[in-house]
Amino acid sequence: SQQGEEDPQALSIQEGENATMNCSYKTSINNLQWYRQNSGRGLVHLILIRSNEREKHSGRLRVTLDTSKKSSSLLITASRAADTASYFCATVSLNSGGSNYKLTFGKGTLLTVNP
Amino acid sequence: DGGITQSPKYLFRKEGQNVTLSCEQNLNHDAMYWYRQDPGQGLRLIYYSQIVNDFQKGDIAEGYSVSREKKESFPLTVTSAQKNPTAFYLCASSIFPDTWLTDTQYFGPGTRLTVL
């Protein structure tokens, strides 16, 4: 089963509005990362938040992490049409044998920002 | 212009044929990865390599093979044994040694493989 699962699966908003996407996970993590993917392209790293951090900002992005609830949220403020993309959370955790770290991607949230 | 390049962008294969997808990086990263992405799905790890001449199986390695003869290059061969190879394939890299698999990954633009 997926380690990280995004919610909602799809989100449609108007330009200028804020967009919030959530990610839930099952096991303890080392860090959690958010990536963006434009249609038919590779992924671009947005932000990394470590397990001992609660909030991080990067430009119009704000990421929160609640390890007690095993959840994270990505907030994009003042959205633009160019923000239209799929957004993935990826969790870094120890594999089942406890010998190595593993990066596991969720299925993503498709964000559409209408002009 | 630093980054990761993948070629070709689109690839068509007849059933029973092996095909090789290219991945090259000039970021001087030690670790490289291959992922498969199916529609509406997250990425699944096929193979990864921490260092030249060494690579490890990921979650879905069956029907795939890789080599790592040079630091810059990590080609993926999709063999005829892969039962459902039609997918979008993404190559990535990250800095090694202390932070591999925990650090940021840099992705190429992807190759879309279609089996006819």
Side-chain angles (χ1 to χ4, degrees):
Chain A
S1 62
Q2 297 288 127
Q3 160 70 325
E5 294 197 7
E6 293 90 344
D7 170 59
Q9 291 185 344
L11 179 62
S12 181
I13 61 174
Q14 297 299 122
E15 253 188 335
E17 293 180 341
N18 295 342
T20 299
M21 287 158 272
N22 302 297
C23 173
S24 60
Y25 58 91
K26 296 183 174 64
T27 64
S28 296
I29 60 170
N30 171 280
N31 68 62
L32 185 145
Q33 304 173 28
W34 285 92
Y35 288 81
R36 165 196 167 127
Q37 183 181 35
N38 286 69
S39 180
R41 306 295 299 274
L43 276 70
V44 174
H45 180 263
L46 296 176
I47 200 163
L48 181 156
I49 187 165
R50 301 193 187 282
S51 59
N52 61 352
E53 297 175 312
R54 292 297 167 257
E55 189 170 311
K56 248 184 149 174
H57 296 255
S58 177
R60 293 184 295 113
L61 304 181
R62 172 177 169 250
V63 169
T64 61
L65 179 65
D66 187 336
T67 53
S68 66
K69 294 182 180 178
K70 292 187 170 58
S71 67
S72 173
S73 67
L74 170 67
L75 169 67
I76 304 174
T77 60
S79 63
R80 307 166 182 168
D83 293 329
T84 294
S86 291
Y87 292 83
F88 294 88
C89 72
T91 54
V92 176
S93 56
L94 283 171
N95 63 12
S96 56
S99 58
N100 268 326
Y101 284 106
K102 182 175 179 178
L103 182 68
T104 306
F105 288 85
K107 295 183 180 180
T109 291
L110 176 59
L111 173 66
T112 303
V113 181
N114 302 300
Chain B
D1 207 22
I4 301 178
T5 57
Q6 291 185 242
S7 62
K9 186 174 176 66
Y10 298 98
L11 186 58
F12 297 91
R13 185 193 100 173
K14 292 181 181 178
E15 283 195 31
Q17 285 182 337
N18 294 353
V19 288
T20 297
L21 283 60
S22 168
C23 177
E24 304 277 333
Q25 55 99 359
N26 61 5
L27 300 167
N28 201 34
H29 287 175
D30 285 280
M32 297 186 74
Y33 314 82
W34 273 106
Y35 292 92
R36 170 184 172 136
Q37 185 178 31
D38 293 282
Q41 301 294 315
L43 278 65
R44 291 184 290 169
L45 183 64
I46 304 173
Y47 268 98
Y48 60 94
S49 169
Q50 296 170 256
I51 201 166
V52 174
N53 292 323
D54 184 57
F55 49 83
Q56 307 293 331
K57 292 182 179 180
D59 298 320
I60 54 165
E62 185 175 351
Y64 301 97
S65 66
V66 294
S67 63
R68 188 86 187 277
E69 297 175 1
K70 298 187 300 183
K71 186 175 184 177
E72 302 80 16
S73 179
F74 190 40
L76 173 75
T77 297
V78 183
T79 74
S80 57
Q82 170 48 236
K83 298 305 178 190
N84 186 21
T86 294
F88 190 49
Y89 290 87
L90 288 158
C91 178
S93 70
S94 66
I95 297 172
F96 184 77
D98 297 332
T99 57
W100 83 277
L101 276 185
T102 64
D103 209 340
T104 300
Q105 294 194 9
Y106 297 82
F107 284 81
T111 292
R112 188 166 299 280
L113 172 64
T114 302
V115 173
L116 302 173

